[in-house]
mmCIF file of all heavy atoms in Angstrom:
data_model
loop_
_atom_site.group_PDB
_atom_site.id
_atom_site.type_symbol
_atom_site.label_atom_id
_atom_site.label_comp_id
_atom_site.label_asym_id
_atom_site.label_seq_id
_atom_site.Cartn_x
_atom_site.Cartn_y
_atom_site.Cartn_z
ATOM 1 N N ALA G 1 81.075 98.881 99.298
ATOM 2 C CA ALA G 1 82.291 99.594 98.892
ATOM 3 C C ALA G 1 82.747 100.562 99.981
ATOM 4 O O ALA G 1 83.935 100.618 100.327
ATOM 5 C CB ALA G 1 82.051 100.336 97.579
ATOM 6 N N PHE G 2 81.807 101.312 100.545
ATOM 7 C CA PHE G 2 82.163 102.266 101.593
ATOM 8 C C PHE G 2 82.592 101.550 102.880
ATOM 9 O O PHE G 2 83.435 102.064 103.620
ATOM 10 C CB PHE G 2 81.001 103.211 101.879
ATOM 11 C CG PHE G 2 80.989 104.430 101.008
ATOM 12 C CD1 PHE G 2 80.041 104.576 100.012
ATOM 13 C CD2 PHE G 2 81.939 105.430 101.168
ATOM 14 C CE1 PHE G 2 80.033 105.696 99.191
ATOM 15 C CE2 PHE G 2 81.942 106.561 100.358
ATOM 16 C CZ PHE G 2 80.983 106.688 99.372
ATOM 17 N N THR G 3 82.020 100.388 103.142
ATOM 18 C CA THR G 3 82.436 99.626 104.317
ATOM 19 C C THR G 3 83.907 99.238 104.211
ATOM 20 O O THR G 3 84.667 99.343 105.183
ATOM 21 C CB THR G 3 81.575 98.363 104.481
ATOM 22 O OG1 THR G 3 80.202 98.741 104.622
ATOM 23 C CG2 THR G 3 81.997 97.570 105.716
ATOM 24 N N ILE G 4 84.314 98.788 103.023
ATOM 25 C CA ILE G 4 85.731 98.462 102.807
ATOM 26 C C ILE G 4 86.575 99.742 102.860
ATOM 27 O O ILE G 4 87.647 99.777 103.461
ATOM 28 C CB ILE G 4 85.930 97.767 101.450
ATOM 29 C CG1 ILE G 4 85.116 96.482 101.375
ATOM 30 C CG2 ILE G 4 87.404 97.456 101.214
ATOM 31 C CD1 ILE G 4 85.128 95.821 100.009
ATOM 32 N N GLY G 5 86.079 100.795 102.238
ATOM 33 C CA GLY G 5 86.822 102.044 102.138
ATOM 34 C C GLY G 5 86.884 102.854 103.415
ATOM 35 O O GLY G 5 87.525 103.911 103.451
ATOM 36 N N LEU G 6 86.218 102.393 104.468
ATOM 37 C CA LEU G 6 86.262 103.073 105.763
ATOM 38 C C LEU G 6 87.030 102.255 106.799
ATOM 39 O O LEU G 6 86.877 102.468 108.002
ATOM 40 C CB LEU G 6 84.839 103.342 106.271
ATOM 41 C CG LEU G 6 84.027 104.358 105.465
ATOM 42 C CD1 LEU G 6 82.600 104.447 105.994
ATOM 43 C CD2 LEU G 6 84.688 105.741 105.497
ATOM 44 N N SER G 7 87.846 101.328 106.335
ATOM 45 C CA SER G 7 88.617 100.486 107.255
ATOM 46 C C SER G 7 89.546 101.349 108.118
ATOM 47 O O SER G 7 90.449 102.014 107.589
ATOM 48 C CB SER G 7 89.456 99.477 106.460
ATOM 49 O OG SER G 7 90.373 98.831 107.304
ATOM 50 N N PRO G 8 89.356 101.364 109.443
ATOM 51 C CA PRO G 8 90.195 102.230 110.288
ATOM 52 C C PRO G 8 91.650 101.795 110.336
ATOM 53 O O PRO G 8 92.549 102.641 110.417
ATOM 54 C CB PRO G 8 89.526 102.126 111.669
ATOM 55 C CG PRO G 8 88.797 100.809 111.645
ATOM 56 C CD PRO G 8 88.353 100.624 110.230
ATOM 57 N N LEU G 9 91.906 100.487 110.272
ATOM 58 C CA LEU G 9 93.286 100.015 110.335
ATOM 59 C C LEU G 9 94.068 100.381 109.079
ATOM 60 O O LEU G 9 95.246 100.753 109.150
ATOM 61 C CB LEU G 9 93.320 98.504 110.555
ATOM 62 C CG LEU G 9 92.934 98.027 111.957
ATOM 63 C CD1 LEU G 9 92.998 96.509 112.044
ATOM 64 C CD2 LEU G 9 93.850 98.643 113.014
ATOM 65 N N ALA G 10 93.420 100.288 107.919
ATOM 66 C CA ALA G 10 94.094 100.656 106.673
ATOM 67 C C ALA G 10 94.404 102.151 106.650
ATOM 68 O O ALA G 10 95.500 102.572 106.266
ATOM 69 C CB ALA G 10 93.234 100.271 105.481
ATOM 70 N N ALA G 11 93.433 102.963 107.067
ATOM 71 C CA ALA G 11 93.658 104.407 107.110
ATOM 72 C C ALA G 11 94.758 104.754 108.111
ATOM 73 O O ALA G 11 95.613 105.608 107.839
ATOM 74 C CB ALA G 11 92.363 105.122 107.483
ATOM 75 N N LEU G 12 94.746 104.082 109.257
ATOM 76 C CA LEU G 12 95.770 104.330 110.275
ATOM 77 C C LEU G 12 97.151 103.930 109.764
ATOM 78 O O LEU G 12 98.141 104.631 109.996
ATOM 79 C CB LEU G 12 95.421 103.566 111.546
ATOM 80 C CG LEU G 12 96.287 103.820 112.779
ATOM 81 C CD1 LEU G 12 96.335 105.307 113.103
ATOM 82 C CD2 LEU G 12 95.753 103.028 113.966
ATOM 83 N N ALA G 13 97.221 102.800 109.065
ATOM 84 C CA ALA G 13 98.495 102.367 108.492
ATOM 85 C C ALA G 13 99.020 103.410 107.503
ATOM 86 O O ALA G 13 100.210 103.747 107.502
ATOM 87 C CB ALA G 13 98.328 101.018 107.800
ATOM 88 N N SER G 14 98.140 103.940 106.663
ATOM 89 C CA SER G 14 98.543 104.952 105.698
ATOM 90 C C SER G 14 99.040 106.209 106.400
ATOM 91 O O SER G 14 100.073 106.789 106.023
ATOM 92 C CB SER G 14 97.359 105.290 104.782
ATOM 93 O OG SER G 14 97.722 106.262 103.827
ATOM 94 N N LEU G 15 98.338 106.625 107.450
ATOM 95 C CA LEU G 15 98.727 107.834 108.175
ATOM 96 C C LEU G 15 100.069 107.659 108.877
ATOM 97 O O LEU G 15 100.903 108.576 108.895
ATOM 98 C CB LEU G 15 97.641 108.189 109.198
ATOM 99 C CG LEU G 15 96.314 108.678 108.611
ATOM 100 C CD1 LEU G 15 95.236 108.721 109.685
ATOM 101 C CD2 LEU G 15 96.482 110.047 107.966
ATOM 102 N N LEU G 16 100.302 106.487 109.457
ATOM 103 C CA LEU G 16 101.572 106.234 110.135
ATOM 104 C C LEU G 16 102.732 106.172 109.146
ATOM 105 O O LEU G 16 103.829 106.653 109.430
ATOM 106 C CB LEU G 16 101.483 104.927 110.935
ATOM 107 C CG LEU G 16 100.557 104.969 112.154
ATOM 108 C CD1 LEU G 16 100.434 103.581 112.777
ATOM 109 C CD2 LEU G 16 101.073 105.958 113.197
ATOM 110 N N LEU G 17 102.480 105.588 107.986
ATOM 111 C CA LEU G 17 103.519 105.542 106.964
ATOM 112 C C LEU G 17 103.863 106.949 106.476
ATOM 113 O O LEU G 17 105.032 107.286 106.254
ATOM 114 C CB LEU G 17 103.080 104.672 105.789
ATOM 115 C CG LEU G 17 103.093 103.164 106.015
ATOM 116 C CD1 LEU G 17 102.449 102.445 104.838
ATOM 117 C CD2 LEU G 17 104.514 102.655 106.220
ATOM 118 N N LEU G 18 102.846 107.780 106.307
ATOM 119 C CA LEU G 18 103.067 109.142 105.819
ATOM 120 C C LEU G 18 103.876 109.980 106.800
ATOM 121 O O LEU G 18 104.558 110.926 106.403
ATOM 122 C CB LEU G 18 101.716 109.822 105.540
ATOM 123 C CG LEU G 18 100.982 109.356 104.286
ATOM 124 C CD1 LEU G 18 99.559 109.870 104.278
ATOM 125 C CD2 LEU G 18 101.722 109.811 103.034
ATOM 126 N N SER G 19 103.803 109.635 108.086
ATOM 127 C CA SER G 19 104.547 110.396 109.091
ATOM 128 C C SER G 19 105.982 109.900 109.250
ATOM 129 O O SER G 19 106.755 110.475 110.021
ATOM 130 C CB SER G 19 103.835 110.319 110.441
ATOM 131 O OG SER G 19 103.799 108.988 110.919
ATOM 132 N N SER G 20 106.349 108.827 108.538
ATOM 133 C CA SER G 20 107.706 108.280 108.633
ATOM 134 C C SER G 20 108.597 108.871 107.547
ATOM 135 O O SER G 20 108.140 109.622 106.675
ATOM 136 C CB SER G 20 107.674 106.751 108.504
ATOM 137 O OG SER G 20 107.239 106.364 107.212
ATOM 138 N N GLU G 21 109.891 108.539 107.594
ATOM 139 C CA GLU G 21 110.831 109.019 106.579
ATOM 140 C C GLU G 21 110.478 108.432 105.213
ATOM 141 O O GLU G 21 110.175 107.257 105.103
ATOM 142 C CB GLU G 21 112.250 108.609 106.974
ATOM 143 C CG GLU G 21 113.321 109.163 106.059
ATOM 144 C CD GLU G 21 114.718 108.759 106.490
ATOM 145 O OE1 GLU G 21 114.847 108.088 107.539
ATOM 146 O OE2 GLU G 21 115.674 109.102 105.780
ATOM 147 N N ARG G 22 110.482 109.263 104.184
ATOM 148 C CA ARG G 22 110.058 108.869 102.823
ATOM 149 C C ARG G 22 108.645 108.267 102.852
ATOM 150 O O ARG G 22 108.335 107.303 102.174
ATOM 151 C CB ARG G 22 111.041 107.882 102.210
ATOM 152 C CG ARG G 22 112.425 108.473 101.946
ATOM 153 C CD ARG G 22 113.311 107.515 101.207
ATOM 154 N NE ARG G 22 113.546 106.282 101.959
ATOM 155 C CZ ARG G 22 114.166 105.222 101.490
ATOM 156 N NH1 ARG G 22 114.605 105.212 100.239
ATOM 157 N NH2 ARG G 22 114.348 104.153 102.244
ATOM 158 N N GLY G 23 107.809 108.875 103.670
ATOM 159 C CA GLY G 23 106.480 108.331 103.920
ATOM 160 C C GLY G 23 105.567 108.296 102.715
ATOM 161 O O GLY G 23 104.733 107.407 102.581
ATOM 162 N N THR G 24 105.716 109.271 101.814
ATOM 163 C CA THR G 24 104.837 109.318 100.646
ATOM 164 C C THR G 24 105.020 108.085 99.771
ATOM 165 O O THR G 24 104.049 107.487 99.294
ATOM 166 C CB THR G 24 105.105 110.588 99.821
ATOM 167 O OG1 THR G 24 104.928 111.741 100.652
ATOM 168 C CG2 THR G 24 104.135 110.670 98.652
ATOM 169 N N ARG G 25 106.280 107.685 99.564
ATOM 170 C CA ARG G 25 106.555 106.483 98.760
ATOM 171 C C ARG G 25 105.977 105.240 99.426
ATOM 172 O O ARG G 25 105.409 104.362 98.764
ATOM 173 C CB ARG G 25 108.060 106.327 98.574
ATOM 174 C CG ARG G 25 108.700 107.355 97.664
ATOM 175 C CD ARG G 25 110.199 107.159 97.574
ATOM 176 N NE ARG G 25 110.528 105.829 97.074
ATOM 177 C CZ ARG G 25 111.752 105.325 97.060
ATOM 178 N NH1 ARG G 25 112.776 106.044 97.530
ATOM 179 N NH2 ARG G 25 111.968 104.126 96.571
ATOM 180 N N LYS G 26 106.117 105.145 100.739
ATOM 181 C CA LYS G 26 105.617 103.973 101.463
ATOM 182 C C LYS G 26 104.087 103.922 101.432
ATOM 183 O O LYS G 26 103.496 102.852 101.210
ATOM 184 C CB LYS G 26 106.111 103.997 102.907
ATOM 185 C CG LYS G 26 107.617 103.958 103.053
ATOM 186 C CD LYS G 26 108.020 104.124 104.507
ATOM 187 C CE LYS G 26 109.525 104.211 104.665
ATOM 188 N NZ LYS G 26 109.926 104.412 106.073
#
């Protein structure tokens, strides 16, 4: 579970989306 939950690409995608316009919704 932690191996899946530590995916760097998924976390990076979330962080990049949050920094964009209307990022919270995305």
Side-chain angles (χ1 to χ4, degrees):
F2 272 108
T3 301
I4 301 173
L6 293 175
S7 169
L9 287 180
L12 187 55
S14 180
L15 291 168
L16 291 174
L17 286 172
L18 286 168
S19 63
S20 65
E21 185 179 357
R22 294 186 299 172
T24 303
R25 290 178 59 189
K26 299 174 185 178

